[in-house]
Coordinates of all heavy atoms in Angstrom, one line a residue:
M184 N 30.1 -25.2 -13.0 CA 29.9 -26.4 -12.1 C 28.7 -26.1 -11.1 O 28.0 -25.1 -11.3 CB 31.2 -26.6 -11.3 CG 32.3 -27.0 -12.1 SD 33.6 -27.8 -11.1 CE 33.3 -29.5 -11.5
W185 N 28.6 -26.9 -10.1 CA 27.5 -26.8 -9.2 C 27.6 -25.4 -8.4 O 26.6 -24.9 -8.0 CB 27.5 -27.9 -8.2 CG 28.7 -28.0 -7.3 CD1 29.8 -28.7 -7.5 CD2 28.8 -27.5 -6.0 NE1 30.6 -28.6 -6.5 CE2 30.1 -27.8 -5.6 CE3 28.0 -26.7 -5.2 CZ2 30.6 -27.5 -4.3 CZ3 28.5 -26.3 -4.0 CH2 29.7 -26.7 -3.5
Y186 N 28.8 -24.9 -8.1 CA 28.9 -23.7 -7.3 C 28.4 -22.5 -8.1 O 28.0 -21.4 -7.5 CB 30.3 -23.6 -6.7 CG 31.4 -23.7 -7.6 CD1 31.8 -22.7 -8.5 CD2 32.1 -25.0 -7.8 CE1 32.8 -22.8 -9.3 CE2 33.2 -25.2 -8.6 CZ 33.4 -24.1 -9.4 OH 34.6 -24.2 -10.4
D187 N 28.5 -22.6 -9.5 CA 28.0 -21.4 -10.2 C 26.5 -21.4 -10.1 O 25.8 -20.3 -10.0 CB 28.3 -21.6 -11.8 CG 29.8 -21.4 -11.9 OD1 30.5 -20.6 -11.2 OD2 30.3 -22.0 -12.9
Y188 N 25.8 -22.5 -10.1 CA 24.4 -22.6 -9.9 C 24.0 -22.1 -8.5 O 23.0 -21.3 -8.3 CB 23.9 -24.0 -10.1 CG 22.4 -24.3 -9.9 CD1 21.5 -23.8 -10.8 CD2 22.0 -25.0 -8.8 CE1 20.2 -24.0 -10.6 CE2 20.7 -25.3 -8.7 CZ 19.7 -24.8 -9.5 OH 18.4 -25.0 -9.3
L189 N 24.8 -22.5 -7.5 CA 24.5 -22.1 -6.1 C 24.7 -20.6 -6.0 O 23.9 -19.9 -5.4 CB 25.4 -22.8 -5.2 CG 25.3 -22.5 -3.7 CD1 23.9 -22.9 -3.2 CD2 26.3 -23.1 -2.9
F190 N 25.8 -20.0 -6.6 CA 25.9 -18.6 -6.7 C 24.8 -17.8 -7.3 O 24.3 -16.8 -6.7 CB 27.3 -18.2 -7.3 CG 27.5 -16.8 -7.4 CD1 28.0 -16.1 -6.3 CD2 27.4 -16.0 -8.5 CE1 28.2 -14.7 -6.2 CE2 27.6 -14.7 -8.6 CZ 28.0 -14.1 -7.5
S191 N 24.3 -18.3 -8.4 CA 23.2 -17.7 -9.0 C 21.8 -17.7 -8.2 O 21.1 -16.7 -8.1 CB 22.9 -18.3 -10.3 OG 22.6 -19.6 -10.4
L192 N 21.7 -18.9 -7.4 CA 20.5 -19.0 -6.6 C 20.7 -18.0 -5.4 O 19.6 -17.4 -5.0 CB 20.3 -20.4 -6.0 CG 19.7 -21.4 -7.0 CD1 19.7 -22.8 -6.3 CD2 18.3 -21.0 -7.3
I193 N 21.9 -17.9 -4.8 CA 22.1 -16.9 -3.7 C 21.8 -15.5 -4.1 O 21.3 -14.7 -3.5 CB 23.4 -17.2 -3.1 CG1 23.5 -18.5 -2.3 CG2 23.8 -16.1 -2.1 CD1 24.8 -18.9 -1.9
T194 N 22.4 -15.2 -5.4 CA 22.1 -13.9 -5.9 C 20.6 -13.6 -6.1 O 20.2 -12.5 -5.8 CB 22.9 -13.8 -7.2 OG1 24.3 -14.1 -7.0 CG2 22.8 -12.3 -7.8
L195 N 20.0 -14.5 -6.8 CA 18.5 -14.3 -6.9 C 17.8 -14.1 -5.5 O 17.0 -13.3 -5.4 CB 17.9 -15.6 -7.6 CG 16.4 -15.6 -7.8 CD1 16.0 -14.4 -8.8 CD2 15.9 -16.9 -8.4
Y196 N 18.2 -14.9 -4.5 CA 17.6 -14.8 -3.2 C 17.9 -13.4 -2.6 O 16.9 -12.8 -2.1 CB 18.3 -15.9 -2.3 CG 18.0 -15.7 -0.8 CD1 16.9 -16.3 -0.2 CD2 18.9 -14.9 0.0 CE1 16.7 -16.1 1.2 CE2 18.6 -14.8 1.3 CZ 17.6 -15.3 1.8 OH 17.3 -15.1 3.2
L197 N 19.1 -12.9 -2.7 CA 19.3 -11.6 -2.3 C 18.6 -10.5 -3.0 O 18.1 -9.6 -2.3 CB 20.9 -11.4 -2.2 CG 21.7 -12.1 -1.2 CD1 23.2 -11.9 -1.5 CD2 21.3 -11.9 0.2
V198 N 18.6 -10.6 -4.2 CA 17.9 -9.6 -5.1 C 16.5 -9.5 -4.7 O 15.9 -8.4 -4.4 CB 18.2 -9.7 -6.5 CG1 17.3 -8.8 -7.4 CG2 19.6 -9.4 -6.9
V199 N 15.8 -10.6 -4.7 CA 14.3 -10.7 -4.4 C 14.1 -10.2 -3.0 O 13.1 -9.4 -2.7 CB 13.8 -12.1 -4.7 CG1 12.3 -12.2 -4.1 CG2 13.8 -12.4 -6.2
A200 N 14.8 -10.7 -2.1 CA 14.6 -10.3 -0.6 C 14.8 -8.9 -0.4 O 14.1 -8.2 0.3 CB 15.5 -11.1 0.2
V201 N 15.9 -8.2 -1.0 CA 16.2 -6.8 -0.8 C 15.1 -6.0 -1.5 O 14.6 -5.0 -0.8 CB 17.6 -6.5 -1.3 CG1 17.8 -5.0 -1.4 CG2 18.7 -7.2 -0.5
L202 N 14.7 -6.2 -2.6 CA 13.7 -5.5 -3.3 C 12.4 -5.5 -2.6 O 11.7 -4.5 -2.3 CB 13.5 -5.9 -4.8 CG 14.7 -5.6 -5.7 CD1 14.4 -6.3 -7.1 CD2 14.9 -4.1 -5.8
A203 N 11.9 -6.7 -2.2 CA 10.7 -6.8 -1.5 C 10.8 -6.2 -0.1 O 9.8 -5.5 0.3 CB 10.3 -8.4 -1.4
S204 N 11.8 -6.3 0.6 CA 12.1 -5.7 1.9 C 12.0 -4.2 1.8 O 11.4 -3.5 2.7 CB 13.3 -6.1 2.5 OG 13.3 -7.6 2.7
V205 N 12.7 -3.7 0.8 CA 12.7 -2.1 0.7 C 11.2 -1.7 0.4 O 10.7 -0.7 0.9 CB 13.7 -1.8 -0.5 CG1 13.4 -0.3 -0.9 CG2 15.1 -2.0 0.0
H206 N 10.5 -2.4 -0.4 CA 9.1 -2.0 -0.7 C 8.3 -2.1 0.5 O 7.4 -1.1 0.8 CB 8.5 -2.9 -1.8 CG 7.1 -2.4 -2.4 ND1 6.0 -2.7 -1.8 CD2 6.9 -1.6 -3.4 CE1 5.0 -2.1 -2.4 NE2 5.6 -1.4 -3.4
V207 N 8.4 -3.1 1.3 CA 7.7 -3.2 2.6 C 8.1 -2.0 3.5 O 7.1 -1.4 4.1 CB 8.0 -4.5 3.3 CG1 7.4 -4.5 4.7 CG2 7.4 -5.7 2.6
L208 N 9.3 -1.7 3.7 CA 9.7 -0.6 4.6 C 9.3 0.7 4.1 O 8.9 1.6 4.9 CB 11.2 -0.6 4.7 CG 11.8 -1.8 5.5 CD1 13.4 -1.8 5.4 CD2 11.4 -1.7 6.9
L209 N 9.1 1.0 2.8 CA 8.7 2.3 2.3 C 7.1 2.3 2.3 O 6.6 3.5 2.4 CB 9.2 2.4 0.9 CG 10.7 2.6 0.7 CD1 11.1 2.8 -0.7 CD2 11.2 3.8 1.6
N210 N 6.4 1.3 2.2 CA 5.0 1.4 2.0 C 4.1 1.0 3.2 O 2.9 1.3 3.2 CB 4.5 0.7 0.8 CG 5.1 1.3 -0.4 OD1 5.0 2.5 -0.7 ND2 5.8 0.5 -1.2
K211 N 4.6 0.2 4.1 CA 3.7 -0.2 5.3 C 3.8 0.7 6.4 O 4.9 1.2 6.8 CB 4.2 -1.6 5.7 CG 3.8 -2.7 4.8 CD 2.3 -2.9 4.8 CE 1.9 -3.9 3.8 NZ 0.5 -3.9 3.5
R212 N 2.7 1.1 7.0 CA 2.6 2.0 8.0 C 2.5 1.3 9.4 O 3.1 1.9 10.4 CB 1.4 3.0 7.8 CG 1.6 3.9 6.7 CD 0.4 4.8 6.5 NE 0.6 5.6 5.3 CZ -0.4 6.4 4.9 NH1 -1.5 6.6 5.5 NH2 -0.2 7.2 3.9
N213 N 2.0 0.3 9.4 CA 1.7 -0.6 10.6 C 3.0 -1.3 10.9 O 3.5 -2.1 10.1 CB 0.6 -1.5 10.5 CG 0.3 -2.2 11.8 OD1 1.1 -2.2 12.7 ND2 -0.9 -2.8 11.9
S214 N 3.7 -1.0 12.0 CA 4.9 -1.7 12.4 C 4.8 -3.3 12.5 O 5.7 -3.9 12.2 CB 5.5 -1.1 13.6 OG 4.7 -1.3 14.8
R215 N 3.7 -3.6 13.1 CA 3.5 -5.2 13.2 C 3.4 -5.8 11.9 O 4.0 -6.9 11.6 CB 2.3 -5.4 14.0 CG 2.4 -5.0 15.4 CD 1.1 -5.3 16.2 NE 1.2 -4.8 17.6 CZ 0.2 -4.8 18.4 NH1 -1.0 -5.2 18.0 NH2 0.4 -4.2 19.6
A216 N 2.7 -5.2 10.9 CA 2.6 -5.7 9.6 C 3.9 -5.7 8.9 O 4.3 -6.7 8.2 CB 1.5 -5.0 8.8
T217 N 4.6 -4.6 9.0 CA 5.9 -4.6 8.5 C 6.9 -5.7 9.0 O 7.6 -6.3 8.1 CB 6.6 -3.1 8.8 OG1 5.8 -2.2 8.3 CG2 8.0 -3.1 8.2
F218 N 6.9 -5.8 10.2 CA 7.7 -6.9 10.9 C 7.4 -8.2 10.4 O 8.2 -9.1 10.0 CB 7.7 -6.8 12.4 CG 8.6 -7.7 13.0 CD1 10.0 -7.5 13.1 CD2 8.2 -8.8 13.7 CE1 10.9 -8.3 13.7 CE2 9.0 -9.7 14.3 CZ 10.4 -9.4 14.3
G219 N 6.1 -8.5 10.3 CA 5.6 -9.9 9.8 C 6.0 -10.1 8.4 O 6.5 -11.1 8.0
W220 N 5.8 -9.0 7.5 CA 6.2 -9.2 6.1 C 7.7 -9.4 5.9 O 8.1 -10.2 5.1 CB 5.7 -8.1 5.3 CG 4.2 -8.1 4.9 CD1 3.2 -7.3 5.4 CD2 3.5 -9.2 4.2 NE1 2.0 -7.7 4.9 CE2 2.1 -8.9 4.2 CE3 3.9 -10.3 3.5 CZ2 1.1 -9.7 3.6 CZ3 3.0 -11.0 2.9 CH2 1.6 -10.8 2.9
L221 N 8.4 -8.6 6.7 CA 9.9 -8.7 6.5 C 10.3 -10.2 7.0 O 11.2 -10.9 6.3 CB 10.6 -7.6 7.3 CG 10.6 -6.2 6.8 CD1 11.2 -5.3 7.8 CD2 11.2 -6.2 5.5
G222 N 9.7 -10.7 8.1 CA 10.1 -12.0 8.5 C 9.7 -13.1 7.5 O 10.6 -13.9 7.1
L223 N 8.5 -12.9 6.9 CA 8.1 -13.9 5.9 C 9.0 -13.8 4.6 O 9.5 -14.8 4.0 CB 6.7 -13.6 5.5 CG 6.1 -14.6 4.4 CD1 5.9 -15.9 5.1 CD2 4.8 -14.1 4.0
I224 N 9.5 -12.6 4.2 CA 10.3 -12.4 3.1 C 11.7 -13.0 3.3 O 12.3 -13.5 2.4 CB 10.3 -11.0 2.6 CG1 9.0 -10.5 2.0 CG2 11.4 -10.7 1.6 CD1 8.8 -9.0 1.9
L225 N 12.2 -12.8 4.5 CA 13.6 -13.2 4.8 C 13.7 -14.7 5.0 O 14.7 -15.3 4.6 CB 14.2 -12.5 5.9 CG 14.3 -11.0 5.8 CD1 14.9 -10.3 7.0 CD2 15.3 -10.7 4.6
V226 N 12.6 -15.3 5.5 CA 12.6 -16.8 5.7 C 12.4 -17.5 4.4 O 12.9 -18.5 4.1 CB 11.6 -17.2 6.8 CG1 11.5 -18.7 6.9 CG2 12.1 -16.6 8.1
F227 N 11.4 -17.0 3.6 CA 11.0 -17.6 2.3 C 11.1 -16.5 1.3 O 10.0 -15.9 0.9 CB 9.5 -18.2 2.4 CG 9.3 -19.2 3.5 CD1 8.5 -18.8 4.6 CD2 9.8 -20.4 3.4 CE1 8.3 -19.7 5.6 CE2 9.6 -21.3 4.4 CZ 8.9 -21.0 5.5
P228 N 12.2 -16.2 0.8 CA 12.4 -15.0 -0.1 C 11.6 -15.0 -1.4 O 10.9 -14.0 -1.6 CB 13.9 -14.9 -0.4 CG 14.3 -16.3 -0.2 CD 13.5 -16.9 0.9
I229 N 11.5 -16.1 -2.1 CA 10.8 -16.1 -3.4 C 9.3 -16.2 -3.0 O 8.4 -15.3 -3.5 CB 11.2 -17.3 -4.2 CG1 12.8 -17.2 -4.5 CG2 10.5 -17.3 -5.5 CD1 13.2 -16.0 -5.2
A230 N 8.9 -17.1 -2.2 CA 7.6 -17.3 -1.9 C 7.0 -16.2 -1.0 O 5.9 -15.7 -1.2 CB 7.3 -18.7 -1.1
G231 N 7.8 -15.7 -0.1 CA 7.4 -14.5 0.7 C 7.2 -13.2 -0.1 O 6.2 -12.5 0.1
A232 N 8.0 -13.0 -1.1 CA 7.9 -11.9 -1.9 C 6.7 -12.0 -2.8 O 5.9 -11.0 -3.1 CB 9.1 -11.6 -2.8
L233 N 6.3 -13.2 -3.3 CA 5.3 -13.5 -4.1 C 4.0 -13.3 -3.3 O 2.9 -12.6 -3.7 CB 5.2 -14.9 -4.7 CG 4.0 -15.3 -5.6 CD1 4.0 -14.4 -6.8 CD2 4.2 -16.8 -6.0
L234 N 3.9 -13.8 -2.0 CA 2.8 -13.6 -1.2 C 2.6 -12.1 -0.8 O 1.4 -11.7 -0.8 CB 3.0 -14.4 0.1 CG 2.7 -16.0 0.0 CD1 3.2 -16.7 1.3 CD2 1.4 -16.3 -0.4
Y235 N 3.7 -11.4 -0.5 CA 3.6 -10.0 -0.3 C 3.0 -9.3 -1.5 O 2.1 -8.4 -1.4 CB 4.9 -9.4 0.0 CG 4.8 -7.9 0.2 CD1 4.2 -7.3 1.2 CD2 5.5 -7.1 -0.7 CE1 4.0 -5.9 1.3 CE2 5.4 -5.7 -0.6 CZ 4.7 -5.1 0.4 OH 4.7 -3.8 0.5
A236 N 3.4 -9.6 -2.7 CA 2.9 -8.9 -3.9 C 1.4 -9.3 -4.2 O 0.7 -8.4 -4.6 CB 3.8 -9.4 -5.2
L237 N 1.0 -10.5 -3.8 CA -0.4 -10.8 -4.0 C -1.3 -10.3 -2.9 O -2.4 -9.8 -3.1 CB -0.6 -12.4 -4.0 CG 0.0 -13.1 -5.2 CD1 -0.1 -14.5 -5.0 CD2 -0.7 -12.6 -6.4
F238 N -0.9 -10.3 -1.6 CA -1.7 -10.0 -0.4 C -1.4 -8.8 0.4 O -2.1 -8.2 1.1 CB -1.9 -11.2 0.5 CG -2.4 -12.4 -0.2 CD1 -1.7 -13.5 -0.3 CD2 -3.7 -12.4 -0.6 CE1 -2.1 -14.6 -1.0 CE2 -4.2 -13.6 -1.3 CZ -3.4 -14.6 -1.5
G239 N 0.0 -8.4 0.3 CA 0.4 -7.4 1.1 C 0.4 -5.9 0.6 O 0.4 -4.9 1.3
V240 N 0.3 -5.8 -0.7 CA 0.3 -4.4 -1.4 C -1.0 -4.0 -1.4 O -2.0 -4.6 -1.8 CB 0.9 -4.5 -2.8 CG1 0.8 -3.2 -3.4 CG2 2.3 -5.1 -2.8
N241 N -1.2 -2.8 -0.8 CA -2.6 -2.2 -0.7 C -3.0 -1.5 -2.0 O -2.5 -0.4 -2.3 CB -2.7 -1.2 0.4 CG -4.0 -0.7 0.8 OD1 -4.9 -1.1 0.1 ND2 -4.2 0.1 1.8
R242 N -3.8 -2.2 -2.8 CA -4.2 -1.6 -4.1 C -5.4 -0.7 -4.0 O -5.7 0.0 -4.9 CB -4.5 -2.8 -5.0 CG -3.2 -3.4 -5.4 CD -3.5 -4.7 -6.2 NE -2.2 -5.3 -6.6 CZ -1.6 -6.2 -5.8 NH1 -2.1 -6.5 -4.7 NH2 -0.6 -6.8 -6.3
V243 N -6.1 -0.6 -2.8 CA -7.3 0.2 -2.7 C -6.8 1.7 -2.7 O -7.6 2.6 -3.3 CB -8.0 -0.1 -1.4 CG1 -9.1 0.8 -1.1 CG2 -8.5 -1.6 -1.4
Q244 N -5.8 2.0 -2.0 CA -5.3 3.4 -2.0 C -4.9 3.9 -3.4 O -5.2 5.0 -3.8 CB -4.1 3.6 -1.1 CG -4.5 3.4 0.4 CD -3.3 3.6 1.2 OE1 -2.2 3.5 0.8 NE2 -3.6 3.8 2.5
R245 N -4.3 3.0 -4.2 CA -3.9 3.4 -5.6 C -5.1 3.7 -6.4 O -5.2 4.6 -7.2 CB -3.0 2.4 -6.2 CG -1.6 2.5 -5.9 CD -0.8 1.8 -6.9 NE -1.3 0.4 -7.3 CZ -0.6 -0.7 -7.3 NH1 0.6 -0.7 -6.9 NH2 -1.2 -1.8 -7.7
K246 N -6.1 2.8 -6.2 CA -7.4 3.0 -7.0 C -8.1 4.2 -6.6 O -8.7 5.0 -7.4 CB -8.3 1.8 -6.7 CG -9.5 1.8 -7.7 CD -10.4 0.5 -7.3 CE -10.3 -0.4 -8.5 NZ -11.2 -1.5 -8.3
A247 N -8.2 4.6 -5.3 CA -8.8 5.8 -4.8 C -8.0 7.0 -5.3 O -8.6 8.0 -5.7 CB -8.8 5.8 -3.3
R248 N -6.7 7.0 -5.4 CA -5.9 8.1 -6.0 C -6.2 8.2 -7.4 O -6.3 9.4 -7.9 CB -4.5 7.8 -5.8 CG -4.1 8.4 -4.3 CD -2.5 8.3 -4.3 NE -2.1 7.6 -3.2 CZ -1.4 6.6 -3.0 NH1 -0.7 6.1 -4.1 NH2 -1.1 6.0 -2.0
R249 N -6.5 7.2 -8.1 CA -6.7 7.2 -9.6 C -8.0 8.0 -9.9 O -8.2 8.7 -10.7 CB -6.7 5.8 -10.1 CG -6.8 5.8 -11.7 CD -6.7 4.4 -12.3 NE -6.4 3.4 -11.4 CZ -7.1 2.2 -11.4 NH1 -8.0 2.0 -12.3 NH2 -6.8 1.2 -10.6
F250 N -9.1 7.7 -8.9 CA -10.3 8.3 -9.2 C -10.5 9.7 -8.6 O -11.3 10.5 -8.9 CB -11.5 7.5 -8.5 CG -11.7 6.1 -9.2 CD1 -11.6 4.9 -8.6 CD2 -12.1 6.3 -10.6 CE1 -11.9 3.8 -9.3 CE2 -12.3 5.0 -11.3 CZ -12.2 3.8 -10.7
S251 N -9.5 10.1 -7.7 CA -9.4 11.5 -7.1 C -9.1 12.4 -8.1 O -8.2 12.3 -8.9 CB -8.4 11.4 -6.0 OG -8.4 12.8 -5.5
P252 N -9.9 13.5 -8.3 CA -9.7 14.6 -9.3 C -8.4 15.4 -8.9 O -8.1 15.5 -7.7 CB -10.9 15.3 -9.4 CG -11.5 15.2 -8.0 CD -11.1 13.8 -7.5
D253 N -7.8 15.9 -9.9 CA -6.6 16.8 -9.5 C -7.0 18.1 -9.1 O -8.2 18.5 -9.5 CB -5.8 17.0 -10.9 CG -5.1 15.8 -11.3 OD1 -4.9 14.9 -10.5 OD2 -4.8 15.7 -12.5
G254 N -6.4 18.6 -8.1 CA -6.8 19.9 -7.6 C -8.0 19.8 -6.7 O -8.9 20.7 -6.7
A255 N -8.2 18.8 -5.9 CA -9.3 18.7 -5.0 C -9.2 19.8 -4.0 O -8.2 20.2 -3.5 CB -9.2 17.3 -4.3
P256 N -10.3 20.5 -3.8 CA -10.4 21.7 -2.9 C -10.0 21.3 -1.4 O -10.3 20.3 -0.9 CB -11.8 22.1 -2.9 CG -12.6 20.9 -3.3 CD -11.7 20.1 -4.2
E257 N -9.2 22.2 -0.8 CA -8.8 22.0 0.5 C -9.9 22.4 1.5 O -9.9 21.9 2.6 CB -7.6 22.9 0.8 CG -6.3 22.5 0.2 CD -5.8 21.1 0.5 OE1 -5.9 20.9 1.8 OE2 -5.4 20.4 -0.3
E258 N -10.9 23.2 1.1 CA -11.9 23.6 2.0 C -13.2 22.8 1.7 O -13.5 22.6 0.5 CB -12.2 25.0 1.9 CG -11.0 25.9 2.3 CD -11.2 27.3 1.9 OE1 -12.3 27.7 1.5 OE2 -10.3 28.1 2.1
T259 N -13.8 22.3 2.7 CA -15.1 21.6 2.5 C -16.2 22.2 3.4 O -15.9 23.2 4.0 CB -14.9 20.1 2.9 OG1 -14.5 20.0 4.2 CG2 -13.9 19.3 2.0
L260 N -17.3 21.6 3.5 CA -18.4 22.1 4.3 C -18.0 22.2 5.8 O -18.4 23.1 6.5 CB -19.7 21.3 4.3 CG -20.3 21.2 2.8 CD1 -21.3 20.2 2.9 CD2 -20.8 22.5 2.5
A261 N -17.1 21.3 6.3 CA -16.7 21.4 7.7 C -15.7 22.5 8.0 O -15.6 22.9 9.1 CB -16.0 20.1 8.1
D262 N -15.1 23.2 7.0 CA -14.2 24.3 7.2 C -14.8 25.7 7.2 O -14.2 26.7 7.5 CB -13.1 24.3 6.0 CG -12.3 23.0 6.1 OD1 -12.2 22.5 7.2 OD2 -11.8 22.6 5.1
G263 N -16.1 25.7 6.9 CA -16.8 27.1 6.8 C -17.2 27.6 8.2 O -17.0 27.0 9.2
P264 N -17.7 28.8 8.2 CA -17.9 29.5 9.5 C -19.2 28.9 10.1 O -20.0 28.3 9.3 CB -18.1 31.0 9.2 CG -18.5 30.9 7.7 CD -17.7 29.8 7.2
G265 N -19.3 28.9 11.4 CA -20.5 28.3 12.0 C -20.4 26.8 12.4 O -19.4 26.2 12.0
P266 N -21.4 26.3 12.9 CA -21.4 24.8 13.1 C -21.4 24.0 11.9 O -22.1 24.3 10.9 CB -22.6 24.6 13.9 CG -23.6 25.7 13.6 CD -22.7 26.8 13.2
A267 N -20.7 22.9 11.9 CA -20.5 22.0 10.7 C -21.9 21.3 10.6 O -22.4 20.7 11.6 CB -19.4 21.1 10.8
P268 N -22.4 21.0 9.4 CA -23.5 20.2 9.3 C -23.3 18.8 9.5 O -22.1 18.4 9.5 CB -24.0 20.5 7.8 CG -22.7 20.9 7.1 CD -21.9 21.6 8.2
A269 N -24.3 18.0 9.8 CA -24.1 16.6 10.0 C -23.5 15.9 8.8 O -23.9 16.2 7.6 CB -25.5 16.0 10.3
G270 N -22.6 15.1 9.0 CA -21.9 14.4 7.9 C -20.7 15.1 7.3 O -20.1 14.7 6.3
A271 N -20.5 16.4 7.9 CA -19.4 17.1 7.2 C -18.0 16.5 7.3 O -17.1 16.8 6.5 CB -19.4 18.5 7.8
Q272 N -17.9 15.7 8.3 CA -16.5 15.0 8.5 C -16.2 14.1 7.3 O -15.1 13.8 7.0 CB -16.5 14.2 9.7 CG -16.8 14.9 11.1 CD -18.2 15.0 11.4 OE1 -19.1 14.6 10.6 NE2 -18.6 15.5 12.6
L273 N -17.3 13.6 6.7 CA -17.1 12.7 5.5 C -17.0 13.4 4.2 O -16.8 12.7 3.2 CB -18.2 11.6 5.5 CG -18.3 10.7 6.7 CD1 -19.6 9.8 6.6 CD2 -17.0 10.0 6.9
S274 N -17.3 14.7 4.2 CA -17.3 15.4 3.0 C -16.0 15.4 2.3 O -15.9 15.2 1.0 CB -17.9 16.9 3.2 OG -16.9 17.6 3.9
R275 N -14.9 15.7 2.9 CA -13.6 15.7 2.3 C -13.1 14.4 1.8 O -12.8 14.3 0.6 CB -12.6 16.4 3.2 CG -11.2 16.5 2.6 CD -10.3 17.2 3.5 NE -9.0 17.5 2.8 CZ -8.0 18.2 3.4 NH1 -8.2 18.8 4.5 NH2 -7.0 18.5 2.7
P276 N -13.1 13.3 2.6 CA -12.7 12.0 2.0 C -13.6 11.5 1.0 O -13.2 11.0 -0.1 CB -12.8 11.1 3.3 CG -12.8 11.9 4.4 CD -13.3 13.2 4.1
G277 N -15.0 11.9 1.1 CA -15.9 11.4 0.0 C -15.6 12.2 -1.3 O -15.7 11.6 -2.4
Y278 N -15.3 13.5 -1.2 CA -14.9 14.2 -2.4 C -13.7 13.7 -3.1 O -13.5 13.7 -4.2 CB -14.8 15.7 -2.1 CG -14.5 16.5 -3.3 CD1 -15.5 16.8 -4.1 CD2 -13.2 16.9 -3.6 CE1 -15.2 17.6 -5.3 CE2 -12.9 17.6 -4.8 CZ -13.9 18.0 -5.6 OH -13.6 18.7 -6.8
Q279 N -12.6 13.4 -2.2 CA -11.4 13.0 -2.8 C -11.5 11.6 -3.4 O -10.8 11.4 -4.4 CB -10.3 12.8 -1.6 CG -9.9 14.2 -1.1 CD -9.0 14.1 0.0 OE1 -8.8 13.1 0.8 NE2 -8.2 15.2 0.3
V280 N -12.5 10.7 -2.9 CA -12.6 9.5 -3.6 C -13.4 9.5 -4.9 O -13.2 9.1 -6.0 CB -13.1 8.4 -2.7 CG1 -13.4 7.1 -3.4 CG2 -12.0 8.1 -1.6
T281 N -14.6 10.2 -4.7 CA -15.6 10.2 -5.8 C -15.6 11.4 -6.7 O -16.1 11.4 -7.8 CB -17.0 10.1 -5.2 OG1 -17.3 11.3 -4.4 CG2 -17.2 8.9 -4.3
G282 N -15.1 12.6 -6.1 CA -15.1 13.8 -6.9 C -16.4 14.6 -6.9 O -16.6 15.4 -7.8
T283 N -17.4 14.2 -6.1 CA -18.7 14.9 -6.0 C -18.9 15.5 -4.5 O -18.3 14.8 -3.6 CB -19.8 13.9 -6.3 OG1 -19.7 12.9 -5.4 CG2 -19.7 13.4 -7.7
E284 N -19.5 16.6 -4.5 CA -19.8 17.3 -3.3 C -20.9 16.6 -2.5 O -21.7 15.8 -3.1 CB -20.1 18.7 -3.5 CG -18.9 19.6 -4.0 CD -17.8 19.9 -3.0 OE1 -18.1 19.7 -1.7 OE2 -16.7 20.1 -3.4
L285 N -21.1 17.0 -1.2 CA -22.3 16.5 -0.5 C -23.6 17.2 -1.1 O -23.5 18.4 -1.4 CB -22.2 16.8 0.9 CG -21.3 16.0 1.8 CD1 -21.3 16.5 3.2 CD2 -21.7 14.5 1.8
A286 N -24.6 16.5 -1.3 CA -25.8 17.0 -1.8 C -26.7 17.4 -0.6 O -26.9 16.6 0.4 CB -26.6 16.0 -2.6
P287 N -27.3 18.7 -0.6 CA -28.0 19.1 0.6 C -29.4 18.4 0.5 O -29.9 17.9 -0.5 CB -28.3 20.6 0.3 CG -28.1 20.7 -1.2 CD -27.0 19.7 -1.6
G288 N -29.9 18.2 1.8 CA -31.2 17.5 1.9 C -31.2 16.0 2.1 O -32.3 15.4 2.3
N289 N -30.0 15.4 2.0 CA -30.0 14.0 2.2 C -29.9 13.6 3.7 O -29.3 14.4 4.5 CB -28.7 13.4 1.5 CG -28.9 13.4 0.1 OD1 -30.1 13.4 -0.4 ND2 -27.8 13.4 -0.6
Q290 N -30.5 12.6 4.1 CA -30.5 12.2 5.5 C -30.2 10.7 5.6 O -30.5 9.9 4.7 CB -31.8 12.5 6.2 CG -32.1 13.9 6.3 CD -33.4 14.1 7.0 OE1 -34.1 13.2 7.4 NE2 -33.8 15.4 7.2
V291 N -29.6 10.3 6.8 CA -29.3 9.0 7.1 C -30.1 8.7 8.4 O -29.9 9.3 9.4 CB -27.9 8.6 7.3 CG1 -27.7 7.1 7.8 CG2 -27.1 8.9 6.0
A292 N -31.1 7.7 8.4 CA -31.8 7.4 9.6 C -31.2 6.2 10.3 O -30.6 5.3 9.8 CB -33.2 7.1 9.2

């Protein structure tokens, strides 16, 4: 009857809302963004979860991890003795994303 249909809709609502909410809580670092996504998911569970899947999931970090080589060195130019060369702060993140070291002799004006 109609209450079976209603029960299945409520079950679908709860499953989608809980799964999307758990993903938001585990993956969002900014508390304001987390609160906003949770509110959207709870008010509009199907549409909110779909919007979160399209716009809320940060795919840039996954892509950067995919390109990062295994066993990236912990020590970079900034960790050596003496003063760090210019741009050494970017050497570690740059290596983790691209897998290449800083080339000597390059300058940015």
